[in-house]
Amino acid sequence: MAAQPPKLFDRILDWYCLQADLEDIQGDIYEIYEDRATDSVLKANLHFIKDTLNLFNPFSNHRKRSIWLTESYHFNFRNQFNRSLRYLKNYPFINALKIGGLSMAFCAFFFIMDYVQFHKNFDGFHENKDRIYRVVTTVTSPDLQDVTAWSHAYIKDMYDEFPSVEQVVRLLKSEEAVVVDTGVKQFEESEVFFIDEEFAQVFTFDWLEGNPETALEDPNSVVLTKRMARKYFDRGEEVIGLTLSINQESYLVTGLVDDIPSNSDLKFDLLIPLHYDNMEEWSFVYLLLQPNTSIAELERTFPEIIDYYNDDYTDEGVTLKYDFENIQDVHFSEARLYDTPKMDKERIFLFQLIGWIILITALVNYINLYTTQLLRRIRNINVQLVVGASKKQLFLEFFMEAVIYFGIALVIAITLTYFSSELLGQYVDFKFFETLSLMQSFLWLAVSFLTATVLSALYALVLTAKKSSLLFIETKQIKAPVRKALIGVQFALSFAMILATLVIYRQTVHLQDQSLGFNADDVITFQFPNHASQSTIEAFKTEIRQFSSVEVVSQLEAYSVPGMDPWVEDYTIDHSYNTKLIEELGVDQYYLEALQIDLVAGEFFDSRKHRSQRTFVVNKAFVDHFGWQANEAVSKELNVYGFGGRIVGVTDNFFFNSPHQLIQPMVLRYYPTATNAMVRLDPNADYVQSVNRMETIWAKHIPNTPFNFSFLASDYALQYQHENASLNVLTTISGLVIILSLLGMYAILLMLAKSREKELGIRKVNGASLINLFDLFARDLAKILLAGIVIATPLLWLGLDQWLADYPIRISLNPINFIAVAIGVMVLAAAVIYLQARKSYASNTVESLKYE
Amino acid sequence: MGLKGKHLGEFEEMVLLAVGVLGNEAYGISVKNKIEELVDRQVSMGALHSALNRLEEKQFVFSKLGEATKTRGGKRKRFYSVSTLGQEALSILMEQRQQLWEAIPQGAFSVRWTPNNK
């Protein structure tokens, strides 16, 4: 047998070619094909494909009549449409399943894709996004390596040494809350950025009023977002020229910016020019490259020049290394100290994958259910074929039905999406459909809609196209191996999703159940304003200590509240020359008491005995780091950030940051005059009342500044936000996936039952029980489900193990979880099988056995 | 003249000539091969068939189906031959070209066409 040309393309030719010309054209290309095939079949095939496509010339060889309609007047569009509607109406249950599954999947797809798009387009609205880079710093000392999102402010002063850099802008987020006084009301703001005046040259925000080029020239100017303008002046426009008092200095409003898109990492409320008074050594540094220059060039020249300025550090044994990340990568890069919130790329990829899997699963289910239904109307189709319906007309009919189903499903999905977006948004902590443009969502919609409709119609056509098999299909037992395999995949997927949810849940609970070494309950924290003098603060503290409900009042630095990123400082111990870096807290003598942390050796700070800034207490991890006994550390000499002093005590270990990381060595410096406070309240007292009383006293001592406090426990819990959000999303998705796979299974069962109707009838006549029928259905499906689970297990084990490996404190994977979830999934599957078996058992045997 | 409005394109002309060259043996493949052989130019099946169709529409060629054979998947060949109208069109074209060539002043071209020049 000679080589055969590719069938599909032969068919295509068949389809478009004018019937009268078909024979000789086909003959010609066959002849060439045979000729070429003696050399190389592959080449001949490729040429054949090329030829068939080449022959498609819309102006000469195509058919002149419409291929769709009215070869016979019995089959016109209206009749077909009516028929489609009738099928929809006549099988309400199975059609509801079909449409329900589709709409659920569409809805999930919309949500997931919006989430994915939101994160993928982070900071994508900046005009120069390809040229904006953030400089991050890796600080290395012999003991510690830290990567901070900040860089040295001096980069700005030397940027003319880099010809490829067009502009440098530093952004410094205010460490402390800023008090804004409108003359009528006071507000405390934390999203205040001090920035270089060239801000608008680098970042594209929507300036509603004011000149972006000049707005920040004057040091006492401020730029507001629309939201803030409304808050301060009750209007979102015409605010230029108004004045605000910020930290008791007068500022002129010179610009109004539209609210920051939520997919931006730079979320500011107020912009204030950076100048010598508010400058810090470290800040966010963003570079704008010259057009057509590459970052690689800068990466090469940067270190040399920087090293020249870095002498101070290198002398102390600390090295600084700078890296550049594009503004659009900032959202996905590894989290650094003082960094903006992150999203990891794998997670986004995974979500995208899940979105598509859900969609495809639903489509496969739809097609399965649809073909099952085709079996029911096989006689009808046969009659149509016999009286002369063409394949195209059948295709048109199937296509129309698909359009109707998908249309209904889409309408439901859009409605569902519209009404559930807010609720779901609250549940998973995400605002849906905020930034996705209408055009984009419409595109997603149209693409999924079209692909699905065409695919399902084509599939139905392929199934019914072979007239011979169509006539027999009714009596033939359907094996449907591909569809069964797909069911296996679906179940493996639900198994995986549920198990992953379970493991993540266990890990989260495990982390949150860790004994933290301190007690965050019943502690409130607040901040004293910059302008409050130490004596005012003391007076305030003394008064609230009188409350019976107040147990401890401790004063400390903002970055020393548990859950924050602590300061990192260099230190030397016992005058050894090796400078090292360490996490450092600045606290007063009540810190341990307020947090209920134990002391394991020595003593804690004492205002009568110890000098501020020059007395230190270390934690147990610090002592362990040097391999000392706790007592050995006491009275060692320590020098932190230029302040020399002695270690007087050792505290027990406590998780200053959440147990996502192990406990780091830490130094507590005695610093009783810092800006923040923690107050431990009596757990039995009415906290509302005590806070109200505190506020009254605050107003007396520190007027013109609102009293804003927060609960330490809830602030600290924010560190688990990531896991909690993932968990909610995963629970929702795995619920959906299991429903979809049960639905798919049901479709297969329906088909099996239908194709074996007579067999089942005979078995029943011969005395088969419900159990026998159940067994009959369950036998091959059980094998497939088991196979799916068995294949998924090792992959899942590896994947989850890898995920857990990122956590130093973690659960170990438990085979019992795997077994339990597997059994759970199987039980659900068995329930569906049981339903179908019972239905077959209860059906009238005569109906299925009678033969007309 | 009956040829008004029946323009003959360059490729069509070549196809028409090739059909003439082949005499009784002119069908899709042989025309393709002949052109490729004599003119050294790749011809795609699509272009060839639409040219043949156009020629037939303009009545420059007529065609009939041959006998079924065992090769070509049992499909019959469509044989073409040049009609009188086609022959007329070719000769008019040739004549027009010759006139144009002769009208070119002596020495204007550095290349001179002669019938024997390959």
Side-chain angles (χ1 to χ4, degrees):
Chain A
M1 179 79 192
Q4 288 290 315
K7 269 235 172 64
L8 173 65
F9 288 90
D10 200 17
R11 274 235 172 103
I12 290 178
L13 180 69
D14 197 10
W15 172 69
Y16 68 68
C17 192
L18 197 63
Q19 216 63 60
D21 289 344
L22 180 64
E23 179 165 358
D24 63 296
I25 289 180
Q26 226 166 12
D28 278 357
I29 66 169
Y30 283 178
E31 189 179 328
I32 297 193
Y33 179 79
E34 281 156 21
D35 199 31
R36 285 188 181 126
T38 50
D39 279 357
S40 148
V41 177
L42 177 69
K43 261 196 185 156
N45 279 342
L46 290 176
H47 273 289
F48 185 87
I49 291 169
K50 199 182 121 205
D51 284 344
T52 48
L53 297 179
N54 243 330
L55 277 163
F56 180 73
N57 180 338
F59 299 108
S60 80
N61 291 329
H62 75 118
R63 291 196 171 163
K64 303 245 153 48
R65 258 175 317 135
S66 155
I67 58 162
W68 300 116
L69 300 171
T70 57
E71 274 174 28
S72 135
Y73 74 93
H74 293 291
F75 302 98
N76 62 36
F77 186 79
R78 223 180 97 200
N79 288 349
Q80 277 168 344
F81 187 73
N82 282 340
R83 231 185 346 259
S84 305
L85 277 187
R86 234 173 278 145
Y87 285 123
L88 190 69
K89 221 166 56 191
N90 287 353
Y91 300 98
F93 177 65
I94 200 155
N95 284 331
L97 278 190
K98 259 193 268 185
I99 291 173
L102 280 180
S103 11
M104 253 184 333
F106 284 180
C107 187
F109 186 76
F110 288 150
F111 279 125
I112 292 176
M113 286 304 154
D114 179 59
Y115 184 76
V116 168
Q117 285 305 314
F118 174 82
H119 283 289
K120 276 192 161 176
N121 291 334
F122 238 76
D123 278 315
F125 54 86
H126 295 292
E127 233 166 77
N128 299 325
K129 60 188 175 200
D130 298 330
R131 297 194 279 136
I132 307 175
Y133 284 85
R134 190 175 80 169
V135 189
V136 297
T137 319
T138 312
V139 188
T140 315
S141 82
D143 273 343
L144 191 79
Q145 187 174 56
D146 264 307
V147 188
T148 83
W150 291 349
S151 295
H152 238 282
Y154 61 58
I155 293 174
K156 170 80 176 171
D157 303 326
M158 45 186 273
Y159 84 94
D160 30 314
E161 298 206 30
F162 305 103
S164 60
V165 176
E166 186 179 311
Q167 195 51 267
V168 177
V169 167
R170 293 165 297 185
L171 298 97
L172 184 68
K173 198 185 152 185
S174 71
E175 267 164 50
E176 291 139 12
V178 163
V179 179
V180 177
D181 191 340
T182 63
V184 184
K185 246 180 167 177
Q186 292 98 36
F187 301 93
E188 208 166 68
E189 303 295 349
S190 54
E191 303 302 310
V192 180
F193 276 77
F194 301 102
I195 52 161
D196 285 314
E197 57 182 280
E198 298 86 356
F199 182 76
Q201 293 175 28
V202 177
F203 302 104
T204 316
F205 288 100
D206 196 0
W207 287 69
L208 301 175
E209 288 173 25
N211 182 351
E213 303 295 323
T214 55
L216 294 158
E217 271 175 2
D218 187 79
N220 275 41
S221 49
V222 59
V223 172
L224 307 179
T225 57
K226 205 171 171 181
R227 198 164 64 92
M228 289 299 120
R230 284 219 189 87
K231 185 164 147 187
Y232 300 148
F233 308 116
D234 286 325
R235 60 177 194 240
E237 51 189 5
E238 290 174 35
V239 292
I240 304 291
L242 298 174
T243 51
L244 282 175
S245 144
I246 298 172
N247 281 351
Q248 304 193 323
E249 259 184 76
S250 174
Y251 282 80
L252 188 69
V253 179
T254 53
L256 180 69
V257 179
D258 204 0
D259 290 337
I260 311 304
S262 50
N263 56 352
S264 172
D265 273 325
L266 300 170
K267 289 196 182 66
F268 58 83
D269 286 333
L270 281 83
L271 294 178
I272 294 173
L274 197 60
H275 52 90
Y276 286 108
D277 290 342
N278 51 31
M279 187 90 73
E280 294 278 345
E281 202 179 349
W282 295 83
S283 64
F284 288 122
V285 176
Y286 281 83
L287 305 177
L288 179 67
L289 287 191
Q290 296 279 6
N292 308 321
T293 48
S294 85
I295 192 71
E297 194 186 317
L298 188 64
E299 270 164 354
R300 209 164 30 78
T301 51
F302 207 70
E304 292 168 26
I305 300 171
I306 286 293
D307 277 350
Y308 174 75
Y309 287 81
N310 272 350
D311 280 353
D312 287 0
Y313 287 89
T314 36
D315 288 353
E316 290 170 6
V318 176
T319 52
L320 302 185
K321 185 176 163 294
Y322 293 100
D323 288 298
F324 306 92
E325 45 185 27
N326 185 273
I327 188 161
Q328 287 203 277
D329 297 333
V330 167
H331 189 55
F332 292 108
S333 60
E334 198 185 325
R336 304 171 163 98
L337 284 174
Y338 326 118
D339 213 339
T340 49
K342 296 292 175 182
M343 172 54 66
D344 50 282
K345 260 200 164 114
E346 292 83 6
R347 203 139 76 100
I348 283 300
F349 174 75
L350 200 70
F351 272 117
Q352 217 167 357
L353 192 73
I354 290 173
W356 282 109
I357 289 176
I358 287 181
L359 189 65
I360 291 167
T361 312
L363 293 180
V364 168
N365 285 348
Y366 167 80
I367 292 171
N368 276 342
L369 281 166
Y370 189 66
T371 41
T372 316
Q373 249 190 326
L374 277 184
L375 290 178
R376 295 189 188 206
R377 40 196 265 215
I378 208 80
R379 281 198 195 94
N380 188 308
I381 292 168
N382 279 337
V383 171
Q384 286 188 49
L385 286 170
V386 167
V387 295
S390 68
K391 280 178 202 166
K392 282 119 213 170
Q393 283 161 339
L394 276 186
F395 176 78
L396 180 64
E397 190 171 322
F398 297 148
F399 182 73
M400 200 140 56
E401 269 167 40
V403 169
I404 293 172
Y405 285 124
F406 282 99
I408 296 174
L410 263 184
V411 170
I412 295 179
I414 291 170
T415 323
L416 206 64
T417 311
Y418 181 78
F419 286 107
S420 62
S421 66
E422 201 164 322
L423 199 69
L424 190 73
Q426 281 171 5
Y427 184 54
V428 301
D429 199 13
F430 179 74
K431 269 198 165 143
F432 285 104
F433 308 107
E434 204 180 27
T435 51
L436 186 68
S437 74
L438 271 178
M439 200 54 222
Q440 224 170 342
S441 38
F442 184 74
L443 199 76
W444 285 117
L445 200 132
V447 168
S448 52
F449 178 88
L450 260 181
T451 343
T453 352
V454 170
L455 270 181
S456 66
L458 273 180
Y459 185 72
L461 185 69
V462 168
L463 268 189
T464 50
K466 292 178 193 151
K467 291 185 193 174
S468 56
S469 71
L470 192 66
L471 290 169
F472 288 116
I473 202 164
E474 192 181 6
T475 46
K476 215 169 65 177
Q477 183 182 326
I478 292 181
K479 289 260 193 284
V482 177
R483 273 174 277 173
K484 281 189 197 158
L486 279 172
I487 293 295
V489 172
Q490 287 181 15
F491 268 88
L493 196 71
S494 351
F495 169 68
M497 295 289 306
I498 295 173
L499 197 68
T501 314
L502 181 69
V503 168
I504 294 175
Y505 173 75
R506 278 190 47 211
Q507 169 68 13
T508 313
V509 169
H510 182 72
L511 285 184
Q512 290 175 357
D513 277 358
Q514 287 300 310
S515 134
L516 294 173
F518 75 95
N519 183 4
D521 295 336
D522 310 309
V523 175
I524 62 169
T525 67
F526 50 89
Q527 186 171 39
F528 298 110
N530 271 345
H531 56 81
S533 69
Q534 192 52 41
S535 54
T536 337
I537 293 174
E538 283 304 333
F540 169 77
K541 278 171 28 181
T542 318
E543 270 199 61
I544 62 170
R545 279 198 178 108
Q546 309 300 318
F547 296 1
S548 60
S549 59
V550 170
E551 292 188 344
V552 193
V553 179
S554 165
Q555 200 175 344
L556 71 170
E557 285 184 322
Y559 283 84
S560 303
V561 177
M564 305 290 287
D565 284 347
W567 282 125
V568 174
E569 299 288 10
D570 52 275
Y571 77 104
T572 54
I573 192 151
D574 276 351
H575 306 293
S576 86
Y577 278 107
N578 257 346
T579 305
K580 293 160 184 173
L581 293 175
I582 192 156
E583 296 186 345
E584 180 240 42
L585 310 179
V587 300
D588 72 355
Q589 61 269 39
Y590 300 105
Y591 189 73
L592 293 193
E593 214 180 320
L595 294 175
Q596 300 182 341
I597 299 167
D598 293 333
L599 199 68
V600 289
E603 53 182 352
F604 201 55
F605 305 128
D606 186 330
S607 59
R608 285 154 302 182
K609 272 161 69 182
H610 295 139
R611 281 177 65 199
S612 167
Q613 307 272 39
R614 295 193 179 274
T615 314
F616 305 102
V617 167
V618 297
N619 67 352
K620 192 142 182 314
F622 183 96
V623 176
D624 293 341
H625 177 76
F626 288 98
W628 297 334
Q629 292 299 312
N631 288 330
E632 275 178 75
V634 177
S635 80
K636 290 233 190 260
E637 288 213 18
L638 191 63
N639 185 311
V640 178
Y641 190 49
F643 291 105
R646 267 176 203 289
I647 297 174
V648 295
V650 178
T651 73
D652 207 353
N653 276 339
F654 61 101
F655 279 99
F656 184 80
N657 290 111
S658 62
H660 286 90
Q661 300 115 40
L662 293 173
I663 294 170
Q664 300 293 319
M666 262 188 171
V667 167
L668 285 69
R669 179 163 46 92
Y670 183 43
Y671 186 41
T673 52
T675 55
N676 277 52
M678 286 195 306
V679 175
R680 172 166 289 285
L681 298 171
D682 179 355
N684 301 317
D686 177 3
Y687 87 86
V688 181
Q689 202 194 347
S690 10
V691 167
N692 281 343
R693 280 178 65 199
M694 253 181 245
E695 195 169 359
T696 330
I697 293 170
W698 175 280
K700 193 172 81 188
H701 292 282
I702 314 168
N704 300 332
T705 307
F707 178 66
N708 285 337
F709 70 94
S710 59
F711 288 97
L712 177 61
S714 55
D715 285 351
Y716 192 83
L718 286 179
Q719 297 175 97
Y720 303 106
Q721 212 178 10
H722 212 56
E723 275 89 5
N724 286 334
S726 300
L727 207 58
N728 288 343
V729 172
L730 273 174
T731 325
T732 320
I733 293 179
S734 44
L736 195 69
V737 170
I738 186 89
I739 289 174
L740 284 175
S741 24
L742 289 174
L743 194 66
M745 176 148 188
Y746 183 67
I748 283 280
L749 281 170
L750 268 184
M751 190 163 62
L752 289 180
K754 182 74 191 162
S755 75
R756 300 168 81 170
E757 207 175 16
K758 289 212 167 63
E759 181 198 336
L760 293 174
I762 295 169
R763 282 177 190 272
K764 271 155 68 184
V765 169
N766 285 326
S769 65
L770 179 57
I771 303 295
N772 294 137
L773 291 192
F774 178 80
D775 178 48
L776 199 67
F777 283 124
R779 200 170 291 167
D780 24 331
L781 280 177
K783 265 185 247 160
I784 291 162
L785 296 198
L786 267 181
I789 288 170
V790 166
I791 293 168
T793 301
L795 293 175
L796 201 53
W797 185 286
L798 284 178
L800 287 172
D801 209 40
Q802 191 120 49
W803 179 76
L804 282 174
D806 287 346
Y807 295 86
I809 295 166
R810 57 175 176 261
I811 55 163
S812 53
L813 288 175
N814 190 347
I816 292 175
N817 289 151
F818 280 71
I819 296 167
V821 174
I823 290 176
V825 170
M826 297 293 270
V827 164
L828 279 177
V832 173
I833 296 175
Y834 176 77
L835 280 180
Q836 181 58 39
R838 213 179 61 171
K839 205 170 125 201
S840 295
Y841 187 69
S843 71
N844 189 349
T845 321
V846 179
E847 282 293 319
S848 59
L849 284 181
K850 78 170 182 211
Y851 196 78
E852 62 268 48
Chain B
M1 196 164 34
L3 285 170
K4 203 163 186 212
K6 293 197 174 174
H7 172 74
L8 197 56
E10 190 257 354
F11 183 65
E12 285 172 356
E13 183 190 0
M14 211 179 292
V15 172
L16 195 53
L17 285 168
V19 171
V21 171
L22 285 161
N24 291 334
E25 279 305 310
Y27 70 100
I29 304 288
S30 65
V31 173
K32 175 173 145 75
N33 289 342
K34 189 52 83 182
I35 296 175
E36 282 173 0
E37 177 195 331
L38 291 180
V39 193
D40 192 22
R41 152 171 176 175
Q42 282 294 315
V43 178
S44 88
M45 290 296 295
L48 180 67
H49 272 281
S50 41
L52 283 169
N53 275 353
R54 278 198 301 273
L55 287 172
E56 199 167 6
E57 260 170 45
K58 295 172 188 169
Q59 298 175 4
F60 290 160
V61 294
F62 46 84
S63 70
K64 59 174 196 297
L65 284 169
E67 304 275 300
T69 50
K70 278 207 168 167
T71 52
R72 309 171 41 97
K75 310 284 182 190
R76 288 174 293 174
K77 292 171 181 169
R78 182 178 291 276
F79 289 105
Y80 294 88
S81 49
V82 185
S83 67
T84 324
L85 202 61
Q87 292 170 19
E88 219 172 281
L90 279 174
S91 74
I92 286 172
L93 210 59
M94 193 65 188
E95 208 172 293
Q96 286 169 345
R97 292 209 176 151
Q98 212 144 9
Q99 277 170 8
L100 283 170
W101 270 106
E102 276 159 17
I104 292 171
Q106 199 77 29
F109 277 17
S110 54
V111 179
R112 186 73 196 160
W113 175 81
T114 53
N116 297 329
N117 193 356
K118 214 199 148 199

